[in-house]
Amino acid sequence: MITLIILSALGILTLFAQVLRFRRGLFPVILVGLAAAFFFTSANYNTNPQVWFSSMLHFDNFAIAFSRSLIVIAFLWFMMARNYFLQETSATDHFALVLFSMVGAVSMVSYNNLTMLFLGIEILSISVYVLAASDKANAFSSEAGFKYFLMGSFATGFLLFGITLIYGVSGSFDLTVIHNSMGAHHEPVMALTGVLLLMVGLAFKASLAPFHFWAPDVYDGAPTPVTAYMATVVKTAAFAAFFRLFYICFPDMVAQWSGVLWWLVVLTLFISNITAVRQTSVKRMLAYSSIAHAGYLAMAIVSMNGDASARAILYYTLTYSVSTISAFTVLYIVSRSKGREDFGAFEGLGKTNPFLSFVLVVAMLSLAGIPPTAGFFGKYYVFFNALQTHNTGLVIIAVLAALIGVYYYFKVIIAVYFKPEQSHIPVTVGGLHQTVLFITTLLTLLLGIFPDVILQWI
């Protein structure tokens, strides 16, 4: 609960930064606040679960682990996005929106009541709708925000219909009561319909095919730092909420809903990877890459292997997010210098900026799942869980999809090291960006060597 209080207080303080005239000192205050939130969150690890708001929030080890992960990702993201937002006169508003969205994200990983799940999703989503459309000089940004708002509202309708049917079966929004009611099978048809509607609503939020069609345009049109936020914090919160709901409430119905999710995973893996191969924009390629990674993450929910699946999702989301922040930071630096985001913008970067090139290669290798990066072990744990639950066919399909992914990730590496530079425009890296890229690259390598550091969080 202290995490929500700190994040809310930071958000409110940020809103008044312009009035109180400490805008220049706001950034370090936010970083210190996030560090404090991480400390107080970690202090409750392995203690009795804290119950708040009439048992609507449970801060158990699962919630604490994902809250810590979200805070780490947000900390790195603020370092990445600082320069972009400080160029805006409304930088305080942008930072406040991000902090308030973090309140929603933490609520999504700690809810024990469907009402709190809905509130967490809406607090997160509304803030991100505004952020996606925040580049007022870019028509594509306005289009991205509008599309995200429309599709997000549409998905919320499915979610609410599902919640209504589950309430009709169980008579409660409490997850434990719902679990007991699902086991009794009073209304199996209504219960299964509610579960599938909930799955559709959450699949929209997690950008699983065929409910992914909003994601490429929104990710491409939104400002690059906002895209990085959506691909990391939002996706982590969505999958933590997805797993928490189905693990607590519907394990007795896994035979009924897992087959549907199985096909969603297959569609997601092939549609996203095959489409990513055809992209000429690195930003849009990373958007489809993000959808592909949603497919791998959903495999852990299909497996439903208890704490092992939870650990796999935690490790995968954290390591994927770290690599993604690396990739989007390099993309932002290159596009700002050269005014373009296609593969040609990266040609010859290996000679002109070895540091950026090395960082980008490590990020691409991790996203592709090449050892010894953290991305390899992320896929390994997801695949291993699927094998343990006899989903061998799904693992084979995922491996084939991953091989397709290697092709388009290596297109970036080939452009960096094996294509001559065409524009001869210098690419400069600021001190803060150098710091965040050093941290993310180091984490990508170290977490690949010492994965147990994160796996022990749950």
Side-chain angles (χ1 to χ4, degrees):
M1 185 61 188
I2 190 67
T3 309
L4 292 175
I5 294 173
I6 291 173
L7 292 173
S8 300
L10 278 175
I12 294 170
L13 181 65
T14 303
L15 285 176
F16 287 97
Q18 198 76 28
V19 177
L20 300 178
R21 298 182 179 178
F22 68 96
R23 183 170 175 266
R24 292 184 178 179
L26 180 61
F27 179 70
V29 169
I30 290 174
L31 294 186
V32 171
L34 289 173
F38 184 89
F39 172 79
F40 284 109
T41 302
S42 302
N44 295 318
Y45 180 70
N46 266 346
T47 61
N48 291 327
Q50 294 186 337
V51 179
W52 297 92
F53 300 126
S54 300
S55 193
M56 294 177 75
L57 286 177
H58 278 199
F59 280 91
D60 49 18
N61 277 356
F62 179 92
I64 290 170
F66 276 95
S67 295
R68 292 162 76 180
S69 178
L70 288 169
I71 292 168
V72 169
I73 299 167
F75 189 94
L76 295 172
W77 180 87
F78 270 104
M79 294 178 68
M80 173 238 182
R82 174 185 178 272
N83 291 341
Y84 172 80
F85 286 115
L86 285 184
Q87 296 171 2
E88 301 286 333
T89 56
S90 56
T92 54
D93 298 335
H94 288 89
F95 285 157
L97 284 168
V98 172
L99 290 167
F100 287 134
S101 72
M102 283 291 295
V103 174
V106 172
S107 300
M108 287 171 65
V109 305
S110 58
Y111 70 95
N112 194 56
N113 188 291
L114 292 180
T115 306
M116 190 57 69
L117 168 63
F118 173 72
L119 288 175
I121 288 175
E122 290 307 297
I123 292 170
L124 173 66
S125 298
I126 292 172
S127 300
V128 180
Y129 297 156
V130 179
L131 288 168
S134 60
D135 188 356
K136 292 172 284 188
N138 186 352
F140 291 108
S141 178
S142 300
E143 180 187 351
F146 187 61
K147 282 185 176 179
Y148 198 16
F149 170 71
L150 285 180
M151 293 298 100
S153 302
F154 189 62
T156 300
F158 282 98
L159 188 73
L160 287 175
F161 273 118
I163 290 173
T164 302
L165 291 177
I166 296 301
Y167 180 80
V169 173
S170 63
S172 175
F173 295 119
D174 186 270
L175 300 192
T176 305
V177 176
I178 292 171
H179 168 75
N180 295 333
S181 298
M182 294 298 106
H185 292 294
H186 295 308
E187 297 285 348
V189 176
M190 185 181 293
L192 181 58
T193 305
V195 170
L196 294 179
L197 286 171
L198 286 171
M199 182 184 294
V200 170
L202 291 170
F204 263 104
K205 300 297 181 182
S207 66
L208 291 174
F211 313 108
H212 71 292
F213 45 81
W214 60 270
D217 289 341
V218 173
Y219 280 29
D220 192 26
T224 299
V226 175
T227 304
Y229 186 80
M230 289 191 289
T232 55
V233 171
V234 175
K235 193 171 292 291
T236 298
F239 273 100
F242 202 151
F243 178 81
R244 188 177 182 94
L245 177 62
F246 279 71
Y247 176 62
I248 295 177
C249 294
F250 311 126
D252 297 327
M253 300 178 64
V254 67
Q256 285 82 10
W257 58 258
S258 63
V260 177
L261 188 56
W262 192 96
W263 281 107
L264 294 184
V265 170
V266 173
L267 283 173
T268 302
L269 291 175
F270 279 107
I271 290 175
S272 58
N273 280 300
I274 292 172
T275 312
V277 170
R278 298 170 58 89
Q279 303 307 308
T280 57
S281 165
V282 174
K283 187 176 182 181
R284 199 167 181 87
M285 180 273 286
L286 289 174
Y288 281 104
S289 161
S290 178
I291 298 169
H293 286 285
Y296 298 121
L297 283 163
M299 288 177 62
I301 302 176
V302 173
S303 303
M304 197 51 68
N305 194 20
D307 287 344
S309 289
R311 293 189 187 99
I313 293 174
L314 174 67
Y315 182 84
Y316 197 114
T317 51
L318 180 57
T319 54
Y320 155 77
S321 297
V322 169
S323 301
T324 299
I325 288 176
S326 279
F328 274 104
T329 303
V330 176
L331 173 64
Y332 170 70
I333 293 169
V334 172
S335 63
R336 183 190 58 186
S337 299
K338 298 192 176 184
R340 49 194 290 213
E341 297 175 340
D342 59 350
F343 286 90
F346 294 86
E347 291 177 353
L349 189 65
K351 294 181 180 179
T352 58
N353 199 314
F355 172 71
L356 272 188
S357 302
F358 176 75
V359 167
L360 186 60
V361 167
V362 172
M364 291 297 108
L365 292 177
S366 182
L367 292 173
I370 305 297
T373 61
F376 167 77
F377 286 97
K379 284 188 172 65
Y380 168 78
Y381 287 121
V382 168
F383 293 171
F384 182 71
N385 273 311
L387 290 173
Q388 283 190 317
T389 54
H390 309 293
N391 284 294
T392 307
L394 188 59
V395 173
I396 294 172
I397 292 170
V399 170
L400 293 175
L403 292 176
I404 300 173
V406 170
Y407 172 78
Y408 58 79
Y409 289 124
F410 270 72
K411 281 176 65 178
V412 180
I413 298 174
I414 290 169
V416 168
Y417 283 108
F418 301 101
K419 294 289 182 70
E421 186 183 13
Q422 302 294 333
S423 61
H424 302 289
I425 298 174
V427 177
T428 57
V429 187
L432 190 60
H433 280 152
Q434 287 182 349
T435 303
V436 71
L437 288 173
F438 175 79
I439 293 172
T440 53
T441 304
L442 187 64
L443 284 175
T444 299
L445 295 173
L446 288 180
L447 292 179
I449 301 171
F450 306 106
D452 288 345
V453 173
I454 304 301
L455 294 172
Q456 292 173 356
W457 283 9
I458 296 181

